[in-house]
Amino acid sequence: PSLYLEHLHASTMKTSSWIISLILAINNCAVVSAFISPQHVHKPRANVLPSTSQLKVATASPQITQADLASLSEKGYVVIDNFLPRDLVDDLRDDILNLRSEGAFKEAKIGQDSTNELNKNIRIAETCFLGRNRPELLKLGENSIRDRSGGLYDILDNLCDSLSDLSMKDSATPLDRSLNELLYAYYPEGGFYRRHRDAIPNSASVLRKYSLLLYLNRDGWSPDKDAGQLRMHLDGGGDECPPGVQPNLIDVDPLGGTLVLFKSEAIPHEVLNTMSERFALVGWFNRPVSASDIANLGEGGNLVQVGMMAVALALVTVGVTTILGQ
């Protein structure tokens, strides 16, 4: 991949056809053609009956309702109380504490692509990227609450299937499970994240279709004493409220087990100042990559960034997070 990036940096060709040709040249076209082809999107698993030992886990697995999906489709967001049972919330919070003790968390940055930077005026938090088969996590243990049958990853796969059906219904575009992004977010006392958007035009984050927030705070979280609410802005603006428009917002208490889903390109949001340690799972369910996405990324003229995106896709990364730096 470094050879391709060197070629990109030296070249002055900036047409979308050249960029797409580069992508198709990598790995004899096999991997990338899968990424820009509908065949690569997730297909429902075969209807195989679960074993007796799996039946209890599968039956108890949290599920999103059709009413919740309808609310997400119509309003652009949905808040689901008690999506996770308390014992699973506690297990996942313990998982965060264990990963932090092992040094798996890093200070969270902001920005897209080469502008990604640490800015404590906008964000104070720590993050740990998640995903099946991530070597840096597997070396810390292969039977975590994330990996085991009926655990976090299985729950999120089921949720992704439901959201993919909704995406097909709303826009005739499925989701691509292989591009999902997932991380733990830890906010210390005094942490925050100012107003921002999850999907930015002409960046890799444009693939994000639905954003996910799943709160893992302790039982008895107090909105007054602990704070740290999620604030969703419904004023139609981007990183700021449009001039002359009255603020229109919704605050969500980060109570353990609460799931929040919203359309990534439609809902600017922020984390208000926390007064206690705050634990959450954050994720994005992404649509497949198209040739037009790569062309749009090239319009800014930074061929190195475009090349990074191309190589990342060609190598089948666990998501576009490494390019976004979120």
Side-chain angles (χ1 to χ4, degrees):
S2 60
L3 294 177
Y4 282 104
L5 291 179
E6 291 173 6
H7 178 67
L8 284 170
H9 188 68
S11 174
T12 59
M13 300 176 63
K14 298 183 180 180
T15 64
S16 60
S17 60
W18 178 85
I19 297 165
I20 295 168
S21 296
L22 167 68
I23 301 170
L24 295 178
I26 301 173
N27 206 18
N28 294 325
C29 305
V31 176
V32 178
S33 61
F35 265 95
I36 61 177
S37 168
Q39 283 86 356
H40 185 68
V41 301
H42 170 70
K43 296 180 179 179
R45 294 184 291 272
N47 187 20
V48 179
L49 292 176
S51 65
T52 303
S53 61
Q54 294 173 322
L55 191 57
K56 182 176 180 180
V57 173
T59 303
S61 181
Q63 301 288 335
I64 188 170
T65 68
Q66 289 301 313
D68 292 329
L69 291 171
S71 180
L72 175 59
S73 176
E74 295 166 8
K75 298 191 299 183
Y77 69 91
V78 64
V79 179
I80 305 172
D81 296 330
N82 302 311
F83 179 76
L84 288 187
R86 172 49 57 181
D87 58 344
L88 185 53
V89 170
D90 292 340
D91 286 344
L92 291 170
R93 187 173 64 257
D94 287 344
D95 189 40
I96 292 178
L97 293 172
N98 178 62
L99 290 173
R100 286 193 75 236
S101 70
E102 295 288 347
F105 276 72
K106 296 180 179 180
E107 285 189 285
K109 298 181 179 181
I110 63 165
Q112 303 291 324
D113 308 320
S114 62
T115 65
N116 186 247
E117 62 180 359
L118 185 67
N119 187 332
K120 292 188 176 182
N121 292 319
I122 296 178
R123 188 181 194 184
I124 294 180
E126 299 174 15
T127 56
C128 173
F129 297 124
L130 303 177
R132 297 184 191 270
N133 303 317
R134 291 188 72 103
E136 69 272 24
L137 297 181
L138 291 176
K139 71 180 182 181
L140 300 178
E142 298 186 6
N143 191 34
S144 71
I145 188 61
R146 289 166 274 114
D147 299 284
R148 68 188 61 163
S149 178
L152 178 63
Y153 295 143
D154 284 350
I155 292 171
L156 294 179
D157 281 349
N158 290 335
L159 181 58
C160 183
D161 289 345
S162 297
L163 292 173
S164 188
D165 291 341
L166 176 64
S167 183
M168 281 293 295
K169 178 181 177 182
D170 286 351
S171 62
T173 303
L175 301 179
D176 188 334
R177 186 188 291 176
S178 69
L179 291 179
N180 289 349
E181 303 168 75
L182 188 66
L183 57 85
Y184 279 142
Y186 167 81
Y187 287 81
E189 181 179 351
F192 56 83
Y193 193 177
R194 302 308 182 212
R195 176 169 170 160
H196 63 282
R197 294 167 291 167
D198 282 350
I200 308 297
N202 297 326
S203 80
S205 66
V206 74
L207 299 179
R208 292 171 174 173
K209 193 70 182 289
Y210 302 108
S211 298
L212 168 148
L213 297 166
L214 185 55
Y215 295 113
L216 306 174
N217 292 313
R218 69 182 189 284
D219 196 16
W221 183 273
S222 168
D224 295 325
K225 294 182 179 180
D226 301 311
Q229 287 84 356
L230 167 72
R231 174 163 290 177
M232 293 188 288
H233 296 275
L234 309 179
D235 51 39
D239 292 341
E240 297 179 355
C241 183
V245 175
Q246 289 295 318
N248 182 13
L249 54 87
I250 295 176
D251 287 349
V252 179
D253 294 328
L255 304 181
T258 297
L259 171 66
V260 181
L261 297 167
F262 56 86
K263 295 180 180 179
S264 300
E265 83 286 355
I267 309 290
H269 53 286
E270 62 182 301
V271 176
L272 303 184
N273 292 41
T274 61
M275 298 172 66
S276 297
E277 290 183 307
R278 183 183 187 272
F279 302 83
L281 177 80
V282 181
W284 298 274
F285 296 104
N286 296 339
R287 61 170 174 78
V289 181
S290 68
S292 63
D293 292 322
I294 303 300
N296 289 336
L297 281 170
E299 289 179 355
N302 190 329
L303 295 181
V304 174
Q305 290 183 12
V306 177
M308 289 175 63
M309 179 68 175
V311 172
L313 294 176
L315 296 178
V316 193
T317 64
V318 295
V320 293
T321 308
T322 52
I323 299 301
L324 299 172
Q326 282 271 5

